[in-house]
Amino acid sequence: MGVRLMVVDDHRLLAEALASALKLRGHRVLAAAAPAAGAADLVIARAPEVCLLGTATPAEPGIFDPVAKIKRERPQVAVVVLGPVPSPRGIAAAFAAGASGYVRHDERIEGVERAIMKARAGEAAVAPQLLQGAFSELLNPAAQPDDEGQRLLQMLTPREVEVLVRVAEGEDTRLIAAGMGIAPSTARTHVQRVLMKLGVGSRLEAAALAARTGLLDRAGPLPHAAPAAPPAPETEPGPES
């Protein structure tokens, strides 16, 4: 039996694509919208069984206030958060606000659907290892906030860090390739790996995340490009024999 649900995400195209995929699987999607000041009010007014709520910054203070508002006004609505690879603190904040689950942005549609069904049934819709980390954080909160910049930096190879810095400085694929002395196709692959590891969907999001967490300051300046080899000296042609 299909689920009555809503999809709310920072990116309207992503919300609409996910809504279309879920409709094809037999679910009734009441609305697909980009979050704004009235996003929680829209969910409260439509009262779906499940709301998929996207976020790019699960560790940001107050990011789950809409979840708390929805649960206050419509406690029967199950909220499943869609987000990047979370820290225990981020996923704990989602559950503390009243979320029923957490699904990574890169999850397959089958995984999203399983989370929807679990949430509607009143179960925790989250991978066991993520749930364990979240509960540990709720029961034993860290004395100091997570150093997210350091955590993200450790996820990247030195070359990927350089790619991220170049992305943050506005370099396109051609400039990244030229600055690093690699082929454009290789540069493009590095960029995609960086986006995947950071759990973001665009270069702009990657640059914003790197700046917000202080990752760029930790990464340091770009290495100087190796000077081009001087041209070989021209030789005078020898005497003809």
Side-chain angles (χ1 to χ4, degrees):
M1 182 179 177
V3 178
R4 293 172 56 254
L5 56 89
M6 290 182 61
V7 181
V8 180
D9 197 274
D10 289 322
H11 303 286
R12 185 175 296 277
L13 286 178
L14 177 59
E16 292 177 350
L18 183 55
S20 296
L22 291 168
K23 284 179 182 178
L24 290 175
R25 301 178 78 87
H27 301 289
R28 182 185 175 193
V29 181
L30 303 179
D41 293 330
L42 180 61
V43 174
I44 292 167
R46 303 298 293 272
E49 293 177 283
V50 178
C51 171
L52 297 176
L53 180 67
T55 178
T57 54
E60 184 175 317
I63 196 67
F64 297 119
D65 287 351
V67 178
K69 182 175 182 179
I70 291 168
K71 297 303 292 185
R72 281 197 308 270
E73 300 293 330
R74 295 284 188 179
Q76 74 276 19
V77 176
V79 181
V80 176
V81 175
L82 297 170
V85 179
S87 66
R89 183 178 296 274
I91 195 170
F95 275 95
S100 298
Y102 191 106
V103 179
R104 286 173 46 170
H105 270 144
D106 58 358
E107 180 62 78
R108 296 173 63 89
I109 189 64
E110 293 85 359
V112 176
E113 187 176 39
R114 281 195 298 271
I116 291 170
M117 302 304 291
K118 283 187 174 183
R120 185 178 68 170
E123 302 176 26
V126 63
Q129 64 271 26
L130 297 182
L131 187 62
Q132 181 179 4
F135 284 155
S136 296
E137 178 63 30
L138 285 170
L139 295 173
N140 303 291
Q144 298 295 328
D146 290 341
D147 188 342
E148 189 178 3
Q150 182 62 28
R151 180 178 63 83
L152 294 175
L153 194 61
Q154 291 174 348
M155 293 169 56
L156 305 175
T157 66
R159 174 149 286 197
E160 289 168 348
V161 171
E162 181 178 351
V163 168
L164 177 59
V165 174
R166 291 182 181 278
V167 166
E169 293 189 353
E171 294 187 7
D172 59 15
T173 301
R174 178 181 57 82
L175 288 176
I176 293 173
M180 298 180 66
I182 57 179
S185 59
T186 303
R188 192 175 298 109
T189 298
H190 282 316
V191 170
Q192 291 302 317
R193 286 178 178 170
V194 169
L195 298 185
M196 180 181 67
K197 286 186 177 183
L198 295 183
V200 296
S202 70
R203 298 183 183 211
L204 183 61
E205 288 183 62
L209 178 62
R212 179 179 61 79
T213 59
L215 191 154
L216 296 178
D217 295 331
R218 293 176 180 275
L222 290 172
H224 293 294
E234 296 184 2
T235 56
E236 295 291 336
E240 295 184 0
S241 52

